Amino acid sequence: MLSVQTLYKSYKVGNNNYEVLKGVSLEVQKGEFVGVMGPSGSGKSTLLNCISCYIPTDSGKIKLSNIDLAALDEEHIAQVRNEKLGFIFQDFLLLDGLTIRDNIMLPCIIGGRTDDAMEKSADMLCDLFGISHIKNKFPADVSGGERQRTAVARALINNPELILADEPTGNLDSKSAQTVIDAFLRAKNDLSATIFMVTHDSFAASFCDRVVILKDGNVRKTLVRGEQERRAFQDALLDTIRDLSEVTGE
């Protein structure tokens, strides 16, 4: 599904060159819910932006179903983003002038697909994520959790191969965060969605199948939930991050 191979990325500031990603390699299989955790500056957001091709890489390969994303021109990258990738952001990025239902349909409208099937898909997603009662309201009139569930539905409207989520619970209270994680799990279980989530939130990460731990631009460890209870997995994540911090004196 997704293959990241020996990925390097650096930024030049003045005469200084700062390495952010230092040979990151990872795989995400179809239907997996994979998280990425690590302290600030570990390279999490840079990794997500490289996978989505919003920023260029220095070297390495990023393949989505054997398509080398870095080799595509801007036109084909835009097509991949609209048809094969779904995006969920910390700040929702809904359009205030559109209803919840219209926001969900927006990727289809941009892609030129406006038909009955699109509207049926939007209504199905509203039902799946428990937002049918607000589908004719505007983003300003609903809660943060409802806005983020709308963003999840929007990300799924084109049946993407991969959903990229950037701190999706970062601006939410605990109750709203739980409803968003429930939406991810429904997307995974009911729609076979593949989800790649960057997060600081150990609670959100504890629902993942696997969590990749980044530190100083490298993959330091990958934790697999397996048959562990969620709370035990969350404790293991916190212990791992604490141990890494102690090693470097943070």
Side-chain angles (χ1 to χ4, degrees):
M1 167 59 72
L2 175 69
S3 176
V4 176
Q5 303 169 16
T6 324
L7 196 65
Y8 286 85
K9 176 62 184 177
S10 60
Y11 295 100
K12 191 169 184 177
V13 180
N15 294 323
N16 297 315
N17 197 56
Y18 296 95
E19 286 187 297
V20 180
L21 300 178
K22 306 171 184 178
V24 171
S25 296
L26 57 86
E27 305 279 335
V28 178
Q29 304 302 319
K30 182 175 175 56
E32 273 196 303
F33 184 7
V34 176
V36 178
M37 294 189 72
S40 296
S42 62
K44 302 186 303 298
S45 294
T46 297
L47 175 60
L48 200 69
N49 285 326
C50 285
I51 291 171
S52 61
C53 297
Y54 283 120
I55 59 175
T57 62
D58 294 341
S59 62
K61 289 186 178 295
I62 303 170
K63 290 187 174 182
L64 180 64
S65 299
N66 295 319
I67 299 173
D68 186 352
L69 299 183
L72 300 178
D73 59 27
E74 282 299 321
E75 180 181 352
H76 287 95
I77 287 173
Q79 184 178 358
V80 166
R81 288 195 194 113
N82 190 57
E83 296 178 0
K84 297 183 181 295
L85 297 175
F87 298 93
I88 301 166
F89 304 96
Q90 181 176 351
D91 296 322
F92 319 130
L93 297 185
L94 302 178
L95 297 183
D96 292 337
L98 297 180
T99 65
I100 294 299
R101 187 172 183 261
D102 286 343
N103 266 285
I104 292 170
M105 294 189 292
L106 190 59
C108 292
I109 296 169
I110 291 172
R113 183 170 71 86
T114 54
D115 52 21
D116 289 343
M118 173 194 70
E119 296 190 6
K120 289 179 181 177
S121 293
D123 289 336
M124 181 274 291
L125 291 167
C126 285
D127 289 341
L128 181 64
F129 298 130
I131 52 176
S132 291
H133 63 294
I134 60 163
K135 65 183 180 182
N136 293 318
K137 292 186 177 182
F138 293 90
D141 300 323
V142 304
S143 70
E146 288 168 334
R147 276 178 275 173
Q148 195 62 296
R149 277 182 279 164
T150 300
V152 175
R154 179 184 60 190
L156 287 161
I157 190 70
N158 274 337
N159 297 313
E161 294 185 21
L162 178 66
I163 293 175
L164 300 175
D166 187 9
E167 300 284 0
T169 61
N171 284 337
L172 302 176
D173 59 36
S174 58
K175 182 178 179 181
S176 296
Q178 180 67 68
T179 65
V180 171
I181 293 302
D182 288 343
F184 280 139
L185 295 176
R186 282 195 291 272
K188 177 182 184 299
N189 296 328
D190 296 355
L191 303 175
S192 300
T194 305
I195 305 164
F196 187 76
M197 176 180 70
V198 164
T199 184
H200 279 97
D201 183 1
S202 63
F203 173 77
S206 68
F207 289 89
C208 294
D209 300 313
R210 287 189 293 125
V211 177
V212 177
I213 308 295
L214 287 187
K215 174 73 174 179
D216 295 329
N218 291 300
V219 175
R220 293 299 181 89
K221 196 168 185 178
T222 299
L223 281 75
V224 179
R225 181 178 176 185
E227 299 300 320
Q228 292 183 79
E229 292 184 356
R230 187 203 62 77
R231 288 182 180 275
F233 189 45
Q234 183 176 9
D235 289 342
L237 292 170
L238 291 170
D239 288 344
T240 298
I241 292 174
R242 187 182 304 113
D243 290 344
L244 286 176
S245 298
E246 289 176 356
V247 167
T248 55
E250 291 188 355

